[in-house]
Amino acid sequence: MTDWTRADFDEAASKVRNWGRWGEDDQLGCLNFITPAKLIQAAGLVTQGKVFPLGVDFDSHGPQGAHGFRRNPIHLMIVDGGDSELGRYLAGWGGATEAQMAGLWDAGPMRFNDDFIMMPLQAATQWDALSHVYYDDQMYNGFPSKAVTSFGATKNSIDQVDVKGIVSRGVLLDVAHHRGLPHLPPNTPISPDDLDEVAAAQGVTIESGDIVLVRTGWWANFLEHRDGEAWAMGSPGVSWKCAEWLWEHEVAAIASDNIAVEVSPPEIESVLLAFHLLAIRDMGMMLGEMWNLEALSADCAEDGRYAFQLAAPPLRVTGAVGSPINPLAMK
Ligand code: UVW
């Protein structure tokens, strides 16, 4: 814990608040920094024909469960190899009667499998939408928190941002690699000066509309022990002070390889998830969590190129406050 107070938080909030900047109805927030010129620039970074999927495995061995309200994805089969006769009984499928279906089934070679997944949208690699967190009864752009109802978010939902893709220039700031560590020590905060130092060492600049990926090595660390509680409680991550740095650089979105982008435990005693609140609610910046940056990190270290095209479209889940994703970095 530090000496920072709610007053320090409020001062930062009033500096980074983007409400009204892109109009009173805006629900895209910092994604507005991604312009057509930015898309063209990002596409030009694909020169080597390499692709890096940044999603983690969606399965029951993930980090959720330690705090009780989220669960790891549950994958169930609805139709499997034991159901090879099932189609004979699928009356109504394609308009066929049971007798017609049985005839079609027996006459032809086609068999199939189907499956089903149950999961919190926040369980694995994901985006936080601009309706995910709020304080003082208001969300990004001043929308009332009550606009998120039991029917879903009527403002700032994840489907609102799909119009942006989401595609841009991605930049990896590999803090763990820069420090010569497999992962940062538990509970290490990453300051704005650290981000500048890493960018300078990597020879990369952060430009308006970039999506910044901060690597702590914490996902690789989780895979070694699979202890969700230790992973969540000990997470290194960005300091709440990085919100102003992101605002000054006009960053479109930020993602990391930990559970909440920001460091655990809270740096301001009276403000839980201070970085979340400043980024999502005040700036209108989406957070990407639990991204697997390992293969990308190794490649960037090898070729010295830390900028690439990044594509991370959310699912159009109507009214959702987040979305699972499998982001792609392309070089
Ligand atoms: C909360 O836990 C509220 O947020 P996140 O899942 O984005 O870390």
Side-chain angles (χ1 to χ4, degrees), residues 180-204:
L181 298 170
H183 60 80
L184 298 182
N187 309 116
T188 304
I190 298 167
S191 69
D193 286 347
D194 294 330
L195 297 180
D196 281 333
E197 184 185 308
V198 174
Q202 293 179 176
V204 72

Side-chain angles (χ1 to χ4, degrees), residues 26 30 69 92 139 169 281 308:
D26 179 63
C30 295
F69 71 100
M139 297 190 283
R169 177 180 184 251
R281 187 263 200 187
F308 36 82

